[in-house]
Amino acid sequence: MNDFFFLFDLNTTIIKSDVLNVIAESAGICDQFNDLYEKLESNKLSFKDYLNAKYRLIGENYSDSVEHDFEKAEISSEIVEFIRAHKERCIILSDIPDIWLHRLLNLLMLSDVTICSHAVEDSYSRVQKLISIIDERIYASQMVQPFIAVGSDPYGIIMAPNATIRLCYTGINAASTKVLEKATHLIHNEHKLVEFMEKLI
Amino acid sequence: MDFSRTIIISCAGMGNRLGMETTKALLEIDGKPLIIHTLQQLGHEPDIRIVVGYQADKVIDVVKDFRSDVVFVFNHNYMNTGTGDSVLLAARHSNDYILSIDGDLLVHPDDMRSILECHNEFVGGNPIESDDPWFLQTYIDDEIEFVSAFSKCMGQYEWNGITQIKSKKMLKGTGHVFHLIEPHLPMEFKLIRTREIDTPNDYERAISWVKNHYNE
């Protein structure tokens, strides 16, 4: 028996799609999103400032409920089952603010194992003020127990250099080159991913 | 009861001797890449791991289109390590047995079926064909042939890079796959007809073999 912990990226791992990108498309702010991402990639923006600007953009341009969009998102049900079955060894990380995730996490019964950014909302459920950001890589660097990182975000847990195994799970999406350079394993199939993780328990 | 086995295909190498600037697993043979020939022969085997390194993204793309439930294991240090190191990376957290196949190998379909039906340990070999082989020294005990040693000097067969072994025996070592097996000899010998592709001539021979319906 191993004593690994499992750290999961919420976006595109627990949730199958990138909800914020879908919102950006519907709000017509993809260009601004891309512009921000380019600035992050070229180190013109810190990760914290990048997220702050991104969430502000959504608040200014999107009138629907972001929380509702997350609630409707397609879920990786087998991964969720795995986490529920091994709650004492699983942590979900997300840089998405808690005010947008509350309902989804309650629905999935995963609130108690999720650590996410913290924000104060205005009366329209928009981010009024971002209080703290969860940078998954920094969180991972503080891990004491050996852990398995599961995700595919180039700014997420999969990039944690101290993970024993960096398990890139992409679902139907292609993994970025940056992620493939760091991953120890790549799995496209959710069922296979869970089967593999069971071997690590 | 299902046999608990993980199949490991090592495709991380650069294939320098072939000089075609492509990893050997992607060489086209009779209209499809070598790795697809192997995956087709493996049928519905449930646990397949492919070790990738050089041109990893290309191998992943080709395999993913054929079958989505393969686990890819990265050997990022493929320039400085051998197939043994690749197998060790993939052997961690595997099933009870490992079937290891080099990614530059074309296997006779009948012999692949026989491999998949085999539920014990073995070392694979074929009659000597290569210019510079690693020989298998064997002996027969109670009508079963066993491999007793790998040798550069003499032997009745040529090691072809296929072995099935208990995974708990594949925990440490370095170099080639046979270096990992050596401490566990003797092991049962299994005759497996293969074509290994190391040079342009090997490649031509492999293409002819397939076109000739695997007849010698």
Side-chain angles (χ1 to χ4, degrees):
Chain A
M1 181 163 164
N2 299 303
D3 60 351
F4 292 128
F5 265 70
F6 294 81
L7 270 57
F8 294 87
D9 223 341
L10 181 109
N11 222 15
T12 72
T13 303
I14 311 295
I15 301 171
K16 285 191 175 174
S17 56
D18 189 329
V19 175
L20 294 184
N21 280 349
V22 175
I23 287 172
E25 239 171 72
S26 116
I29 50 173
C30 286
D31 289 346
Q32 289 98 311
F33 257 44
N34 291 338
D35 188 42
L36 285 174
Y37 191 72
E38 273 173 30
K39 283 181 178 159
L40 173 70
E41 286 278 89
S42 55
N43 293 322
K44 287 177 186 156
L45 269 182
S46 68
F47 188 62
K48 189 169 78 176
D49 291 340
Y50 161 74
L51 289 182
N52 210 349
K54 189 171 158 179
Y55 298 152
R56 196 178 301 276
L57 254 180
I58 291 173
E60 288 165 358
N61 294 279
Y62 191 63
S63 52
D64 292 346
S65 161
V66 177
E67 192 177 19
H68 188 55
D69 288 330
F70 272 102
E71 200 183 0
K72 284 189 306 186
E74 199 182 345
I75 298 301
S76 304
S77 53
E78 290 188 67
I79 300 175
V80 167
E81 280 303 314
F82 174 87
I83 296 171
R84 282 191 197 136
H86 304 288
K87 267 193 172 177
E88 72 289 352
R89 290 166 66 172
C90 293
I91 300 169
I92 300 170
L93 295 167
S94 179
D95 51 46
I96 296 164
D98 47 3
I99 55 169
W100 290 342
L101 296 177
H102 273 323
R103 279 158 71 169
L104 171 74
L105 294 173
N106 286 338
L107 196 73
L108 298 176
M109 295 180 288
L110 293 176
S111 300
D112 51 342
V113 292
T114 306
I115 297 166
C116 50
S117 298
H118 179 44
V120 173
E121 60 189 331
D122 64 14
S123 50
Y124 301 100
S125 297
R126 295 179 305 204
V127 173
Q128 185 191 58
K129 197 190 288 177
L130 205 51
I131 307 296
S132 65
I133 297 273
I134 288 297
D135 185 328
E136 298 171 24
R137 297 157 300 172
I138 294 174
Y139 185 94
S141 71
Q142 305 303 310
M143 283 295 289
V144 178
Q145 288 291 312
F147 69 97
I148 313 296
V150 187
S152 62
D153 179 355
Y155 287 89
I157 192 68
I158 189 77
M159 306 305 277
N162 55 330
T164 307
I165 294 177
R166 286 179 291 280
L167 230 173
C168 178
Y169 168 67
T170 58
I172 52 167
N173 306 309
S176 75
T177 309
K178 210 167 156 181
V179 169
L180 292 185
E181 283 169 1
K182 293 286 178 202
T184 59
H185 295 69
L186 168 68
I187 300 179
H188 294 97
N189 180 294
E190 186 185 351
H191 182 72
K192 180 56 72 174
L193 172 77
V194 171
E195 197 179 277
F196 186 76
M197 290 192 298
E198 288 288 358
K199 289 194 174 84
L200 303 171
I201 288 288
Chain B
M1 196 178 127
D2 286 343
F3 180 53
S4 171
R5 166 168 59 198
T6 296
I7 296 176
I8 298 173
I9 309 172
S10 307
C11 301
M14 297 173 71
N16 283 337
R17 274 191 289 168
L18 190 65
M20 294 182 74
E21 293 179 0
T22 182
T23 190
K24 290 188 271 187
L26 296 182
L27 287 173
E28 286 273 327
I29 295 176
D30 201 24
K32 60 191 167 203
L34 174 56
I35 184 69
I36 299 300
H37 282 271
T38 306
L39 289 172
Q40 279 179 331
Q41 290 181 349
L42 293 175
H44 297 294
E45 278 290 320
D47 192 21
I48 298 177
R49 300 183 185 179
I50 297 182
V51 187
V52 290
Y54 180 61
Q55 296 182 335
D57 51 343
K58 291 183 180 169
V59 178
I60 290 164
D61 280 347
V62 166
V63 170
K64 191 178 72 170
D65 285 346
F66 180 75
R67 142 168 213 176
S68 68
D69 63 348
V70 166
V71 174
F72 295 96
V73 181
F74 291 90
N75 179 358
H76 293 297
N77 195 21
Y78 59 89
M79 288 175 82
N80 305 307
T81 56
T83 45
D85 301 83
S86 286
V87 171
L88 283 182
L89 286 172
R92 291 175 194 158
H93 316 291
S94 55
N95 288 328
D96 296 347
Y97 283 80
I98 285 165
L99 169 61
S100 171
I101 303 171
D102 285 350
D104 60 358
L105 215 56
L106 193 60
V107 182
H108 193 291
D110 292 343
D111 293 352
M112 186 64 98
R113 274 191 285 276
S114 160
I115 290 170
L116 296 179
E117 284 165 10
C118 176
H119 290 183
N120 53 271
E121 295 185 314
F122 69 80
V123 173
N126 48 261
I128 295 155
E129 285 178 359
S130 309
D131 297 332
D132 188 26
W134 274 94
F135 298 102
L136 296 177
Q137 294 183 346
T138 63
Y139 66 92
I140 294 176
D141 183 23
D142 203 13
E143 296 184 348
I144 298 172
E145 192 161 16
F146 290 90
V147 175
S148 58
F150 294 94
S151 167
K152 212 52 191 143
C153 310
M154 55 180 289
Q156 196 181 345
Y157 304 103
E158 174 178 344
W159 154 245
N160 62 14
I162 303 179
T163 186
Q164 183 158 276
I165 187 167
K166 285 181 179 159
S167 53
K168 64 183 177 191
K169 293 180 180 173
M170 297 290 256
L171 297 176
K172 57 184 179 181
T174 190
H176 295 288
V177 176
F178 71 83
H179 289 130
L180 309 180
I181 302 168
E182 245 169 354
H184 306 293
L185 297 178
M187 280 169 65
E188 201 172 315
F189 170 72
K190 191 166 184 59
L191 186 66
I192 304 165
R193 289 162 290 176
T194 58
R195 291 290 183 277
E196 188 180 1
I197 304 172
D198 278 332
T199 64
N201 283 340
D202 290 340
Y203 184 31
E204 289 303 320
R205 277 196 288 268
I207 291 172
S208 305
W209 197 42
V210 175
K211 284 194 169 156
N212 204 21
H213 306 289
Y214 296 91
N215 289 315
E216 302 300 324

